[in-house]
Amino acid sequence: MELMNRYLPQYQFAEEHSRYVPASPARVLDVVGRPDVVDDPIARKLIALRELPARLAGRLGYASALRGRPSFGLANFTFLGRDGDGEMAFGLAGRFWRADYGLVEVADAQAFLALDAVGIAKLVMNFTVETEGSGTRLTTRTRVWCGDDAARRSFKPYWLLIRPASGLIRRRLLRRAYDAALRR
């Protein structure tokens, strides 16, 4: 968890899920970020449901920052790095509680590290792999740090609302990584 601890050593919110995969750690970590693994139809439907009010407002002629933008996905994250065959991490910053996510553009890992979190939340999602028996324990962790009390107060109800769906998406991602690691 070296990358996770480097990019978000402090956090107020966290989530963790893991799964055993009967494949090598390198193979498992290689498949985690592949498009066929992260592009889950259930995740797309949950994201579409979350974005529905803002997209509908845009179609009805009201202001919507989501108008013309693709749906939220892994492409919105900043790749923070890969630590050999042990860990991969992605970062995201914004006002996630807003209908348009309030994303802050982050160019690279150094920009993420240097970003002042006042008024926003910073999120790191990682994937770690560890040898377990004849296979691998794949774990995904998400940590969120809110830069001030106002951001934390805004984020907390959002977190409580989306956490079950977020957990479902993460567990499905682990299942999809399992399936992909076993395919040749």
Side-chain angles (χ1 to χ4, degrees), residues 93-140:
R95 293 169 186 85
F96 310 133
W97 52 90
R98 289 186 14 192
D100 67 353
Y101 305 99
L103 296 179
V104 173
E105 181 128 353
V106 181
D108 56 27
Q110 289 305 328
F112 184 85
L113 198 56
L115 183 64
D116 182 359
V118 173
I120 63 169
K122 289 174 78 172
L123 177 151
V124 172
M125 174 179 67
N126 82 340
F127 297 93
T128 59
V129 290
E130 294 179 3
T131 300
E132 183 177 297
S134 60
T136 300
R137 173 64 51 183
L138 171 61
T139 303
T140 179

Side-chain angles (χ1 to χ4, degrees), residues 50-69 99-100:
R50 188 244 189 252
E51 294 178 351
L52 182 65
R55 295 204 183 272
L56 184 58
R59 286 190 195 110
L60 295 173
Y62 296 99
S64 173
L66 291 181
R67 186 187 323 216
R69 281 187 14 200
D100 67 353

Side-chain angles (χ1 to χ4, degrees), residues 160-175:
L160 294 172
L161 181 65
I162 63 100
R163 189 170 182 197
S166 174
L168 174 64
I169 289 169
R170 298 298 193 292
R171 287 188 302 278
R172 287 186 57 83
L173 192 147
L174 292 173
R175 176 60 195 203

